[in-house]
Amino acid sequence: VGDKVMVLARSGLWQEVVNVPASQTFLMPEGMSFEEAAALLVNYITAYMILFDFGNLRPNQSVLIHMAAGGVGTAAVQLCKTVENVTIFGTASASKHDSLKESGVAHPIDYRTMDYAEEVRKISPKGVDIVLDPLGGSDTSKAFNLLKPMGKLITYGVANLLTGQKKNLMAMAKTWWNQFSINALQLLHHNKAVCGYHLGYMDEEFELVGGVVAKLVNLYSQGKIKPKIDSVWPFDQVADAMRQMQEKKNVGKVILVPEAPKEESKKEEN
């Protein structure tokens, strides 16, 4: 009782009171705000396990991070910076490129006006060592083709299914039809790896996830990672918060809090 904790749960957190098993809670490190704690677990566990457990990221390698200004993207960029001389390619709309450069992305690419695969090849003709793929559909094929020998593709989402405010069944069908497929024999000839990741299906892996959280808390305490908060919204402005993401305006994490911060509490914090 009284512990400040971060919580992992698959759903049901957009409410004032939540009930979760103690095994899905983790102590917040000293000096961390509640907003940072809300932004840490899902994004950083995902980015850490993709890059290090599946990707085996090592010094002097190169990584392509899609949606590099989003929650997992910003986490992945920070984690890449904890390894010596990693070259980061990051896709995002042009308005976010300055922010990406400041955070350590060597080569920001505007996916709206450029073919990102061509842009990567111009700079690195052989491709990259690791591709983080939250897109799905035909982009997974492009990712696989961009890998160097011994490269690793980790797919962890299908953002291409989400095309706008309403479900577009034709777009969903097209993404499904274009979904990347490869068999084990084909992999033999390519010398490449394809991995799939979904944190939501690790409910029972307490030791595995707990070990990752301990590493992340340590990195936070050393000042090597810090959750990037785009904006904070009270529950009654949830539609505006969702629009911020839908219109791809956010750089970092969009946070929901039960009520708007009071001016008094802000003064106290200062």
Side-chain angles (χ1 to χ4, degrees):
V1 174
D3 284 344
K4 293 180 177 180
V5 294
M6 305 177 275
V7 173
L8 259 189
R10 204 187 286 193
S11 61
L13 295 180
W14 293 8
Q15 48 196 19
E16 292 174 0
V17 180
V18 290
N19 204 352
V20 295
S23 58
Q24 288 173 222
T25 65
F26 304 90
L27 285 172
M28 285 168 54
E30 200 72 30
M32 178 178 274
S33 69
F34 283 118
E35 289 78 10
E36 283 183 329
L40 185 83
L41 287 187
V42 172
N43 293 149
Y44 281 81
I45 292 172
T46 298
Y48 188 96
M49 295 185 85
I50 286 173
L51 283 171
F52 297 112
D53 294 325
F54 271 148
N56 192 25
L57 178 63
R58 299 194 300 281
N60 306 313
Q61 289 190 324
S62 53
V63 182
L64 171 59
I65 301 172
H66 286 295
M67 297 160 64
V72 174
T74 53
V77 169
Q78 288 181 16
L79 288 167
C80 283
K81 299 301 290 177
T82 67
V83 179
E84 195 179 348
N85 199 31
V86 170
T87 303
I88 306 170
F89 296 84
T91 66
S93 49
S95 62
K96 301 176 182 179
H97 285 194
D98 287 343
S99 172
L100 289 185
K101 282 181 179 170
E102 283 171 27
S103 66
V105 176
H107 306 291
I109 301 167
D110 183 0
Y111 65 95
R112 292 178 177 178
T113 60
M114 297 171 171
D115 180 327
Y116 63 82
E118 279 181 22
E119 294 304 308
V120 170
R121 293 267 184 215
K122 281 179 194 172
I123 297 156
S124 178
K126 281 190 171 181
V128 294
D129 296 290
I130 301 170
V131 179
L132 277 54
D133 170 37
L135 303 174
S138 56
D139 284 292
T140 308
S141 302
K142 285 174 82 169
F144 186 78
N145 292 328
L146 269 177
L147 291 178
K148 293 178 179 178
M150 298 303 291
K152 298 160 191 83
L153 159 64
I154 303 99
T155 184
Y156 67 98
V158 198
N160 283 334
L161 286 178
L162 306 173
T163 56
Q165 292 187 0
K166 294 180 180 175
K167 284 183 180 174
N168 182 330
L169 294 178
M170 281 299 291
M172 290 174 79
K174 186 179 174 188
T175 300
W176 186 261
W177 181 255
N178 287 326
Q179 190 59 34
F180 176 73
S181 179
I182 193 166
N183 65 43
L185 277 177
Q186 288 171 303
L187 280 175
L188 278 177
H189 306 300
H190 286 286
N191 290 306
K192 298 176 181 180
V194 179
C195 311
Y197 181 85
H198 194 312
L199 179 57
Y201 293 104
M202 293 231 189
D203 292 356
E204 304 301 313
E205 302 301 324
F206 306 126
E207 284 183 36
L208 181 60
V209 172
V212 174
V213 174
K215 289 170 186 166
L216 292 171
V217 166
N218 190 32
L219 287 170
Y220 176 87
S221 300
Q222 292 175 39
K224 291 184 177 176
I225 61 171
K226 185 175 177 64
K228 190 172 182 65
I229 310 293
D230 173 78
S231 49
V232 180
W233 307 77
F235 279 3
D236 58 11
Q237 290 178 28
V238 63
D240 296 323
M242 294 300 287
R243 202 170 294 114
Q244 176 81 353
M245 289 194 296
Q246 197 172 53
E247 295 174 359
K248 299 184 176 177
K249 291 179 179 173
N250 61 303
V251 176
K253 194 74 173 159
V254 175
I255 298 288
L256 286 177
V257 294
E259 54 189 35
K262 292 177 182 150
E263 289 302 315
E264 290 170 23
S265 62
K266 280 186 181 174
K267 284 175 191 166
E268 283 171 23
E269 285 171 20
N270 294 335

